[in-house]
Amino acid sequence: MLPTGVAQAIAKSDVPKVYVPNLGQDPEQFGTDLAECIRVLIKTLKSDFDSDIAPHKVLNVILIDSQNGHYSGELPKVELKKWGIQLIDIPLVTQQSAPFYDNHLLANALLTLSD
């Protein structure tokens, strides 16, 4: 569910449009793997447009930690490349924060995207 006009505001903004996937299983996304979550997010964000809009206009960065994070399913790397969505795979989970993201690492990663 997305209020009318939100996706258009996101697309018009010059800031990075970032998705940080849930680690593990989210009860609200039961049975939905990471690839499907990304597809649903893009489809939802594109639904606010009368004409087809490129996926990278509504989502252009996905942040993950493939070494320490646990995601349900595989990343659709071929689709991401085709859509022009950048995948940034960096340390975001520490021993102390596991199985969750480390607040400081995640905040720093997001701040570096705004430079």
Side-chain angles (χ1 to χ4, degrees), residues 14-61:
D14 289 334
V15 300
K17 291 95 170 162
V18 183
Y19 175 52
V20 182
N22 292 324
L23 294 167
Q25 286 290 335
D26 183 328
E28 294 179 2
Q29 297 174 329
F30 183 75
T32 307
D33 68 5
L34 180 55
E36 186 61 20
C37 286
I38 293 167
R39 289 182 196 107
V40 168
L41 176 60
I42 292 170
K43 181 180 177 184
T44 302
L45 290 169
K46 289 176 65 171
S47 69
D48 204 17
F49 294 88
D50 292 333
S51 60
D52 196 30
I53 183 170
H56 72 271
K57 295 289 187 180
V58 292
L59 174 67
N60 47 38
V61 175

Side-chain angles (χ1 to χ4, degrees), residues 3-16:
T4 302
V6 171
Q8 291 182 10
I10 290 170
K12 289 178 186 175
S13 176
D14 289 334
V15 300

Side-chain angles (χ1 to χ4, degrees), residues 8 11-12 15 46 52 54 63-65 71 88 93 102 110:
Q8 291 182 10
K12 289 178 186 175
V15 300
K46 289 176 65 171
D52 196 30
L63 280 177
I64 63 163
D65 180 345
Y71 305 94
I88 300 177
V93 178
D102 178 278
L110 292 169

Side-chain angles (χ1 to χ4, degrees), residues 58-103:
V58 292
L59 174 67
N60 47 38
V61 175
I62 296 176
L63 280 177
I64 63 163
D65 180 345
S66 65
Q67 293 295 323
N68 305 302
H70 299 285
Y71 305 94
S72 60
E74 298 292 320
L75 275 165
K77 291 180 181 179
V78 172
E79 287 175 286
L80 294 179
K81 187 172 184 165
K82 180 178 83 172
W83 294 333
I85 298 172
Q86 181 182 11
L87 177 64
I88 300 177
D89 188 351
I90 58 173
L92 295 170
V93 178
T94 63
Q95 257 187 326
Q96 295 78 21
S97 71
F100 306 108
Y101 289 114
D102 178 278
N103 293 337

